[in-house]
Amino acid sequence: MQRLAAARQGHTGREIFTLPLVAARLAGGFIAPVTTDVLYPAIQAALAAGGFKELDSVSSLPGMPRAVLQSLDALWRANIDVSSLPQDVGRFADLHLLETRIRELLPASRRLPLDLCRAAMSRASRSKVLLGPVTLDGIVDIDPVWRSLLNEIARFTELSWDSPVQAETSWFKGKVHRRTAVAPANFLVEASADPKAEVVEALRWARHLLSSGQAKAEEVAIAATSTPDWDDHFLAYANDAGLPLHFSHGVPALSTAEGQACAALADILTNGLSQERIWRLFRRLPARPFISTLPEDWFSSISRTAGLKTMDQWREALIVGRSHRAAGDLAETVLLPVLDLLARGPDVGREAGRLLLSGGSLATWEEASRSAPPHAIALSLQALRVRDGRDPANSIVWCPASHLAASPRAFVRLIGLTSRSWPRFENDDPLIPDHLLGRRTLHGLTTAERDRLHFDVIRGGTPAVLVLSRPERNAKGSILSPSSLWPEEEVVRKRDRIPAHAFSEADRLLARPREAAQLDHVRQSQLCWRNWQREPSLTRHDGLITPDHPAILAALARTQSTTSLQRLLRDPLGFVWRYALGWHSIPLEPEPLQLDPQTFGELVHELISGAITGLEPIPGFARANPNEIDAAIAAASSRVSASWPLQRSVPPAILWQHTVKEAARRTARGLASDDPTRADTRSWSEIPFGQEVSTGSELPWNETIKIPITQAGLVYGGRIDRLDIRATGDGAQITDYKSTKPPPKSQRVALGQGRELQRVLYAMTVRTLLPEVRTIVARLIYLAEETVKFELRGDELDNAIVEATAFLVAAVEILRSGRIAPRWEQDAHYDDMRLAFPADRESYLRRKGPDFRAANQKLGKLWNSSK
């Protein structure tokens, strides 16, 4: 802002410095004040050297470089020479040792504040030539380290201080020009619900000032003593509103694209390789230098559900996909060295950053690397702030109160005036507690006194409008008491009030409900809410559609799987969502600690299939002895252990080994649970039917034949878990394995409310494709805990087929009628389509229960059956 004022006034040749830069000018040569980019590496090296009396045990902790800098900076600002402190006190001796090492590690041109001040003092006599007239402006308080230098400068050149009335100037030997304090022309006091509501009210206020022409953006400021509680809200809402809001203290690095690239790299280095992390990193990396060399089809044939957590898995996955890539092995040549580097962990952070990052992302990475050890880079990134790219000369400013006190504006809003923030409590220095060195020796003013000073300076420098704001509750809902600076009279701004001036399009629509109601998406959402909450009958937002809707007919005409038919019986509306609309749930655990029940069941089925396939046709499963079966299971386990991590996400290595062992144990239990099988029996596993293309494998039937359910107008295909056929061809046994816990033995399981439809469908498949088979047995074998079998044969199987067909016909009739209703799945542990329902699903289903039951009446007998 001082540069803007100089430009407007035409003051060519005016130079605007900070006090350290003034000292550097006097010191001459190439001397410059030390900055954090130089200090942090020096501090890290000084800490790594060790040899401390008290700090050895904590010198390697992630926050130690920042704590050392904070403590030494406080000593330097207070003009305290560390060597003058009692060296018999271990803490002071350690700090002196650190300062000595830091001084030795600094470049010759960089000076610590005390050294810089001494060098400048020795050349103060040249102030008139080197500096000319000096004016201190925008400074509320001057650190003791610079006071003697300023008084020395005042001896040789004109030195003046345009200070607020509240500033302490008794020590100053130059000319003091006191600013006249002014009372705001308009003073407002407002209370809002919480910090988020405060931000909304602040942006409404700022938008009103700009749109009404009362103020320019450069005249408006919003401030708090400490900004983190409001930063995220200001970032989100200001972008939504399109307001020119400048963060004078910088925006969080992780809110920028460059910061997100750094965060993705830090995630891999600290947590290890995985496909999800690699994709996250590659999506955020700058186009150069690395991404430009990587072939566009590098991921061809790599399953997106694979975990890929080790270099061996990545190497094998890339080799498998080589034939699918246009550039052959170029992807391996480029990618594998990078993955190998990343797999080495945080210690190669600097090398990885220089290889993969560039421009702003590389600068952010290096800045974060300076202030923390390699393994704590993620914590450093969280604390790092970067410039937002806006100029305060044409922006509303959001800043700490200390910044605003140095550069007052005409229209000011102070937020967060609670007892915790205005003024704030004071904390001990991290390395120099009060019992070692008094707080007032280290800091001339308490934190509370400094906050009060800034408040008074801001109030006395705001001529037009001053608004005080406070939240009644914090973000967690706890009640907050007002600040001691808070006036008695206040205006309460309720969260749901209609504002006189909106700050964004969404806020405007909230203020004008009639106008919002004209928008299609708002009207539709309101109608949906009314249909869900007030209308007791079945509506189009519940599942009511046009009879014989083309999307329904298309979904029914496709070749069904046994899984889709099971969903059709169990949940007609879910069938529509999945197969007519194409909805799919998103996996919630990309890196699971254990497999979910469904996936674990797939693992067991694959082991069973691998074991049986390995035993057929020689020696044959029926003729194999226990040792041969165990060997087949071990071979299948070995193959699965290596192949699954290349196809899907699996638990960490040790847990994955345990999971495979448990699946193998259940597989052995399931295969050993058979009654003695005739030696002339042939066994197949995962035997396909109704496929589009023949695999050419030796099968008992033509695998491309689809199985019709004529009455329902459906056809289906799939794979049978296990099929045993006698050599005579007159008998077949179907086995469906379940890795879950079995129902009570006393319960007869036929269709199992639709859950066990698959084995019935398998029996219909065998009857259709092998008409010469006279005896069919359909088994369910539960492998968890003790092995339990449920069999269907003879008349019981015939009845189950008739019932399944009738219920499938009923389900198709429901879908074609258009009256499709949700079903209350009381026995479901997890419904992956739950988000499609209202949040209070139970109340919703209870409210509309009668109409839903009427719509699903044809399937009610199945759902309420105990078999």
Side-chain angles (χ1 to χ4, degrees):
M1 296 305 296
Q2 289 293 334
R3 291 192 175 98
L4 173 65
R8 286 176 172 172
Q9 295 167 15
H11 288 163
T12 304
R14 173 179 290 180
E15 295 192 62
I16 300 168
F17 285 142
T18 61
L19 288 175
L21 290 177
V22 170
R25 168 67 66 89
L26 279 177
F30 295 99
I31 292 177
V34 68
T35 51
T36 56
D37 61 326
V38 177
L39 265 177
Y40 272 128
I43 291 173
Q44 288 180 340
L47 286 169
F52 304 109
K53 292 183 178 180
E54 292 187 1
L55 299 181
D56 269 334
S57 60
V58 295
S59 61
S60 61
L61 293 181
M64 199 59 185
R66 185 174 287 109
V68 168
L69 179 57
Q70 182 177 336
S71 298
L72 288 177
D73 185 61
L75 290 169
W76 295 332
R77 287 175 178 271
N79 199 27
I80 298 174
D81 188 344
V82 183
S83 63
S84 67
L85 297 173
Q87 297 302 299
D88 58 328
V89 177
R91 191 67 52 86
F92 293 149
D94 289 346
L95 290 173
H96 183 217
L97 179 59
L98 283 168
E99 185 188 51
T100 303
R101 289 175 176 173
I102 291 169
R103 186 177 284 113
E104 293 171 352
L105 291 168
L106 292 180
S109 61
R110 297 301 182 99
R111 301 291 176 86
L112 298 177
L114 288 175
D115 299 335
L116 183 62
C117 184
R118 292 179 187 129
M121 289 275 287
S122 66
R123 292 167 55 90
S125 60
R126 303 186 184 186
S127 298
K128 189 168 185 177
V129 176
L130 295 175
L131 301 176
V134 178
T135 300
L136 304 179
D137 195 3
I139 299 178
V140 177
D141 186 39
I142 296 176
D143 293 324
V145 66
W146 308 117
R147 292 182 181 182
S148 57
L149 175 61
L150 290 175
N151 286 336
E152 192 68 14
I153 291 173
R155 293 176 53 201
F156 300 101
T157 189
E158 182 182 340
L159 178 64
S160 61
W161 184 2
D162 292 340
S163 71
V165 175
Q166 300 84 358
E168 169 57 42
T169 60
S170 60
W171 59 269
F172 188 66
K173 295 181 179 180
K175 296 179 181 179
V176 177
H177 301 292
R178 295 282 186 183
R179 298 177 192 164
T180 303
V182 296
N186 194 357
F187 183 70
L188 302 173
V189 181
E190 299 179 0
S192 301
D194 55 21
K196 180 179 178 181
E198 270 195 298
V199 171
V200 169
E201 293 296 339
L203 293 178
R204 286 171 176 172
W205 171 77
R207 173 75 78 180
H208 173 65
L209 291 176
L210 299 184
S211 61
S212 65
Q214 296 180 51
K216 299 178 181 179
E218 66 187 68
E219 299 175 319
V220 182
I222 306 168
T225 52
S226 181
T227 61
D229 286 346
W230 296 270
D231 276 341
D232 289 342
H233 300 310
F234 272 117
L235 270 174
Y237 284 135
N239 289 336
D240 186 39
L243 285 171
L245 187 68
H246 169 59
F247 286 62
S248 71
H249 53 293
V251 296
L254 295 183
S255 69
T256 65
E258 293 81 4
Q260 284 296 303
C262 294
L265 178 56
D267 188 23
I268 294 176
L269 292 176
T270 55
N271 296 317
L273 294 176
S274 77
Q275 184 177 185
E276 191 68 25
R277 295 190 185 108
I278 291 296
W279 270 106
R280 188 182 301 121
L281 173 64
F282 286 3
R283 290 192 190 103
R284 288 163 174 77
L285 284 180
R288 292 181 180 275
F290 170 69
I291 292 298
S292 59
T293 65
L294 189 65
E296 292 184 359
D297 61 347
W298 67 269
F299 52 86
S300 295
S301 80
I302 296 179
S303 172
R304 284 293 284 118
T305 57
L308 302 184
K309 299 175 185 177
T310 66
M311 274 302 301
D312 289 340
Q313 292 172 3
W314 274 102
R315 191 174 289 107
E316 187 171 347
L318 289 170
I319 291 173
V320 169
R322 185 183 298 168
S323 60
H324 298 271
R325 297 191 294 268
D329 64 351
L330 178 60
E332 300 165 51
T333 305
V334 174
L335 188 58
L336 287 177
V338 175
L339 295 177
D340 185 58
L341 176 66
L342 296 176
R344 289 156 59 187
D347 291 335
V348 297
R350 290 186 182 274
E351 185 180 349
R354 295 190 185 101
L355 176 65
L356 300 175
L357 304 175
S358 63
S361 58
L362 179 57
T364 300
W365 181 259
E366 291 183 341
E367 177 65 23
S369 300
R370 294 187 192 106
S371 60
H375 59 276
I377 186 70
L379 297 176
S380 183
L381 284 169
Q382 289 179 3
L384 188 63
R385 306 189 78 85
V386 296
R387 294 183 178 181
D388 64 358
R390 290 190 179 274
D391 194 324
N394 61 1
S395 302
I396 302 166
V397 68
W398 157 239
C399 60
S402 57
H403 290 195
L404 183 58
S407 182
R409 293 196 169 194
F411 299 83
V412 171
R413 190 180 187 96
L414 301 181
I415 66 176
L417 269 87
T418 65
S419 58
R420 299 181 181 181
S421 299
W422 288 84
R424 291 169 294 175
F425 298 106
E426 186 171 33
N427 295 318
D428 261 345
D429 184 273
L431 297 181
I432 312 175
D434 185 59
H435 69 272
L436 289 181
L437 188 66
R439 292 180 187 173
R440 298 292 66 79
T441 303
L442 201 57
H443 303 283
L445 296 176
T446 67
T447 304
E449 290 171 343
R450 196 176 298 275
D451 287 343
R452 289 180 183 273
L453 173 61
H454 291 155
F455 180 84
D456 292 338
V457 171
I458 293 169
R459 183 175 58 184
T462 305
V465 177
L466 177 62
V467 182
L468 305 185
S469 170
R470 75 175 181 92
E472 294 184 320
R473 296 178 181 270
N474 64 17
K476 296 181 179 180
S478 301
I479 296 177
L480 300 174
S481 58
S483 165
S484 58
L485 303 172
W486 190 254
E488 292 184 2
E489 296 182 2
E490 65 180 31
V491 176
V492 177
R493 300 295 192 189
K494 293 186 177 181
R495 190 197 302 272
D496 59 350
R497 78 180 185 94
I498 296 178
H501 203 99
F503 77 91
S504 67
E505 175 68 7
D507 201 30
R508 182 182 67 82
L509 294 176
L510 178 65
R512 300 178 179 179
R514 291 185 180 180
E515 187 174 333
Q518 302 304 313
L519 299 176
D520 286 342
H521 66 279
V522 175
R523 187 168 60 251
Q524 288 296 326
S525 63
Q526 289 178 332
L527 178 59
C528 179
W529 187 89
R530 286 195 296 269
N531 283 342
W532 275 354
Q533 304 294 330
R534 298 181 181 177
E535 180 60 50
S537 60
L538 184 68
T539 70
R540 59 176 176 163
H541 291 102
D542 304 309
L544 185 64
I545 60 174
T546 304
D548 285 333
H549 193 284
I552 298 295
L553 298 180
L556 293 173
R558 63 187 288 274
T559 300
Q560 307 296 326
S561 65
T562 55
T563 301
S564 68
L565 291 179
Q566 182 187 55
R567 185 176 285 268
L568 175 62
L569 271 193
R570 298 277 293 161
D571 184 9
L573 184 59
F575 177 90
V576 173
W577 288 345
R578 176 64 58 87
Y579 301 104
L581 300 180
W583 292 2
H584 293 276
S585 58
I586 298 175
L588 298 180
E589 287 189 283
E591 297 184 34
L593 292 178
Q594 64 178 12
L595 298 182
D596 60 76
Q598 180 178 347
T599 307
F600 183 76
E602 294 174 11
L603 174 61
V604 173
H605 280 71
E606 186 161 340
L607 291 182
I608 292 173
S609 172
I612 293 177
T613 302
L615 293 170
E616 293 290 346
I618 299 173
F621 175 71
R623 296 181 294 277
N625 59 46
N627 291 335
E628 290 173 326
I629 293 176
D630 290 342
I633 295 174
S637 299
S638 179
R639 288 193 298 271
V640 166
S641 295
S643 63
W644 267 47
L646 303 180
Q647 302 166 3
R648 62 182 78 198
S649 210
V650 298
I654 295 178
L655 295 178
W656 173 233
Q657 293 174 8
H658 173 77
T659 302
V660 174
K661 287 180 180 178
E662 175 61 20
R665 188 176 66 82
R666 297 192 186 187
T667 299
R669 181 190 300 163
L671 295 180
S673 65
D674 290 340
D675 297 328
T677 306
R678 289 171 50 173
D680 61 350
T681 299
R682 177 73 187 273
S683 299
W684 287 268
S685 180
E686 296 295 326
I687 179 171
F689 62 94
Q691 305 299 305
E692 296 295 332
V693 180
S694 174
T695 61
S697 302
E698 182 184 354
L699 299 173
W701 55 53
N702 183 349
E703 62 193 289
T704 62
I705 297 177
K706 296 178 174 61
I707 311 304
I709 305 177
T710 307
Q711 301 93 318
L714 300 170
V715 295
Y716 68 95
R719 292 177 180 272
I720 299 176
D721 288 358
R722 176 180 164 189
L723 176 65
D724 301 313
I725 302 178
R726 292 177 186 167
T728 57
D730 61 346
Q733 180 175 261
I734 301 161
T735 305
D736 188 7
Y737 291 100
K738 301 290 182 181
S739 60
T740 56
K741 292 181 180 181
K745 292 183 179 180
S746 59
Q747 180 178 332
R748 294 295 301 164
V749 178
L751 294 178
Q753 300 177 336
R755 287 189 300 273
E756 309 307 339
L757 175 67
Q758 288 176 312
R759 63 168 173 168
V760 177
L761 294 176
Y762 295 156
M764 294 168 62
T765 300
V766 173
R767 283 190 174 180
T768 302
L769 298 179
L770 301 175
E772 67 277 8
V773 173
R774 296 191 301 273
T775 302
I776 298 176
V777 177
R779 303 188 303 171
L780 277 177
I781 298 183
Y782 289 87
L783 305 178
E785 298 178 351
E786 59 178 306
T787 304
V788 178
K789 289 187 292 184
F790 294 91
E791 294 184 349
L792 288 178
R793 64 175 72 207
D795 293 341
E796 195 175 15
L797 178 59
D798 294 339
N799 293 336
I801 292 175
V802 171
E803 285 186 358
T805 303
F807 285 128
L808 285 170
V809 170
V812 170
E813 290 176 353
I814 289 175
L815 261 61
R816 299 191 61 172
S817 72
R819 289 185 58 81
I820 310 169
R823 181 204 169 201
W824 195 333
E825 185 93 11
Q826 293 179 334
D827 57 347
H829 296 290
Y830 175 70
D831 183 359
D832 62 348
M833 294 290 182
R834 177 69 179 266
L835 287 176
F837 285 108
D840 191 358
R841 177 174 179 263
E842 287 70 23
S843 297
Y844 163 73
L845 295 175
R846 188 165 51 249
R847 182 167 51 252
K848 297 200 168 202
D851 221 45
F852 287 176
R853 283 191 291 271
N856 291 323
Q857 183 178 7
K858 293 180 179 180
L859 294 176
K861 181 180 178 181
L862 170 68
W863 296 343
N864 296 323
S865 172
S866 60
K867 295 184 179 181

